[in-house]
């Protein structure tokens, strides 16, 4: 990749953990993440207006909108479910290991072969991902949280592949607007389903806005700007594998921020394994 592209991806990587860091520990996480998705619609609409873009998408892009929306819904819900049960420094590295899932999908779908370096990277990710979870004498400190983090990783792989493909045929603002319109509806439905036993299940959808409006807006704006950089690099022609490798800087950054700002325990232990996860991902992406 060109140096400017690398710098753009690095900037995106170091700001990406801010959303999950900002919303860690909120009382109504699904509602807050729904608010973030809604804010992306607003930002994408403003982006279209300021840049003179229309909302229309080519017909061939709409299936990619649907795939991205499904992947993002799974990613968001899996991430917040894992973070409700455990520390950001323990589960964010798992969530961000989507290149491992992408490699597995490519092998299953098209018979993609991998070098010994890439296979070694996969083994390193799996080993490090398990070691970062150890606690209280058990291999997995919280199996359910680990499963949700893996689910989020699969969702991330799905929307990453879809988004990279879509950026060859459209621009970011209308694509994000329609994608997040679907994601907002899906997240609101999930929140209402969680409150289905209450007398007013739809109240929970907006409760996060009422209690954490500024945290939601900051999380939405920082993540929107972060992802715009990635989509722009895709539009400029960068390969998804190379972009994915550079983005893994976000893994050790998230562990450091969690230790410094959230005072999460075992920071140095998790940082070491997080760095190995990032190295393993780079070995896959740069084969």
């Amino acid at each position: 990749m060109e140096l400017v592209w690398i710098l753009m991806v690095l900037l995106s990587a170091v700001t990406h953990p801010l959303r999950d860091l900002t919303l860690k520990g909120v009382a109504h996480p699904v509602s807050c993440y729904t608010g973030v998705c809604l804010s992306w619609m607003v930002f994408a609409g403003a982006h279209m207006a300021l840049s003179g873009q229309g909302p229309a998408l080519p017909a061939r892009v709409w299936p990619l909108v649907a795939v991205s929306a499904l992947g993002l819904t799974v990613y968001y819900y899996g991430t917040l479910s894992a973070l409700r049960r455990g520390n950001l420094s323990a589960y964010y590295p798992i969530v961000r290991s989507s290149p491992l899932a992408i490699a597995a999908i490519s092998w299953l779908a098209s018979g993609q072969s991998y070098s010994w370096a890439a296979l070694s990277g996969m083994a390193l990710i799996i080993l490090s991902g398990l070691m970062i979870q150890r606690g209280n004498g058990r291999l997995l400190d919280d199996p359910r949280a680990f499963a949700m983090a893996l689910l989020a990783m699969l969702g991330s792989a799905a929307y990453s592949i879809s988004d990279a493909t879509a950026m060859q045929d459209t621009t970011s603002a209308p694509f994000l607007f329609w994608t997040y319109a679907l994601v907002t509806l899906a997240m609101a439905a999930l929140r209402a389903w969680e409150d289905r036993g209450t007398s007013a299940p739809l109240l929970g959808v907006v409760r996060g806005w009422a209690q954490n409006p500024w945290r939601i807006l900051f999380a939405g704006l920082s993540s929107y700007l972060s992802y715009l950089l990635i989509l722009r690099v895709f539009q400029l022609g960068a390969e998804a594998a190379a972009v994915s490798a550079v983005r893994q800087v976000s893994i050790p950054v998230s562990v450091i921020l969690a230790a410094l700002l959230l005072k999460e325990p075992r920071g140095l232990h998790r940082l070491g394994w997080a760095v190995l996860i990032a190295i393993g991902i780079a070995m896959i992406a740069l084969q």
Side-chain angles (χ1 to χ4, degrees):
M1 288 196 299
E2 296 183 11
L3 178 59
V4 174
W5 300 359
I6 293 174
L7 293 175
M8 291 170 67
V9 176
L10 285 174
L11 179 58
S12 173
V14 298
T15 56
H16 186 272
L18 292 177
R19 178 190 58 216
D20 297 323
L21 188 72
T22 301
L23 297 180
K24 179 72 172 77
V26 293
H28 304 283
V30 180
S31 178
C32 289
Y33 274 69
T34 304
V36 169
C37 294
L38 181 60
S39 75
W40 274 51
M41 281 187 64
V42 174
F43 295 140
H47 185 182
M48 284 191 290
L50 292 173
S51 58
Q53 301 178 54
L57 292 174
R60 60 185 175 276
V61 173
W62 282 104
L64 298 173
V65 169
V67 172
S68 290
L70 177 60
L72 282 162
T73 301
V74 172
Y75 166 74
Y76 278 128
Y77 195 75
T79 298
L80 66 91
S81 296
L83 296 185
R84 276 192 288 194
R85 300 178 63 90
N87 292 330
L88 177 73
S89 56
Y91 296 108
Y92 185 88
I94 306 300
V95 171
R96 297 307 300 163
S97 297
S98 57
L100 178 62
I102 293 173
I105 292 171
S106 298
W107 176 68
L108 290 171
S110 59
Q112 172 72 42
S113 60
Y114 292 96
S115 65
W116 281 107
L119 293 173
S120 299
M122 294 178 195
L124 185 60
I125 294 169
I126 294 170
L127 173 63
S128 302
L130 291 174
M131 293 302 295
I132 208 172
Q133 302 300 315
R134 294 190 67 182
N136 299 323
R138 296 179 296 177
L139 179 59
L140 295 179
D141 187 42
D142 189 331
R144 184 173 177 181
F146 182 67
M148 296 308 294
L150 287 178
L151 186 66
M153 180 186 72
L154 293 174
S156 178
Y159 82 72
S160 296
I161 295 172
S162 181
D163 290 359
T165 304
M167 286 304 99
Q168 305 307 308
D169 293 311
T170 188
T171 54
S172 56
F175 179 78
L176 290 176
F177 178 84
W178 292 113
T179 298
Y180 273 84
L182 296 178
V183 177
T184 301
L185 290 174
M187 292 297 293
L190 284 170
R191 179 56 182 162
W193 180 81
E194 286 187 344
D195 287 347
R196 63 193 181 281
T198 66
S199 58
L202 293 179
L203 182 60
V205 176
V206 298
R207 189 172 286 134
W209 273 107
Q211 295 186 2
N212 304 282
W214 296 112
R215 291 174 72 173
I216 289 174
L217 286 174
F218 176 77
L221 181 61
S222 61
S223 57
Y224 184 80
L225 295 177
S226 174
Y227 201 57
L228 277 186
L229 292 171
I230 297 300
L231 295 182
R232 180 56 180 163
V233 171
F234 283 146
Q235 288 176 326
L236 292 173
E239 293 183 357
V243 171
S244 177
V246 178
R247 288 188 77 189
Q248 302 321 307
V249 170
S250 67
I251 293 178
V253 168
S254 70
V255 177
I256 293 171
L257 291 177
L260 293 177
L261 301 180
L262 299 179
K263 308 300 182 184
E264 292 185 355
R266 305 172 66 203
L268 287 178
H269 168 80
R270 288 172 175 165
L271 178 60
W273 291 113
V275 169
L276 289 179
I277 289 174
I279 292 173
I281 291 171
M283 292 169 68
I284 296 173
L286 298 178
Q287 72 156 343

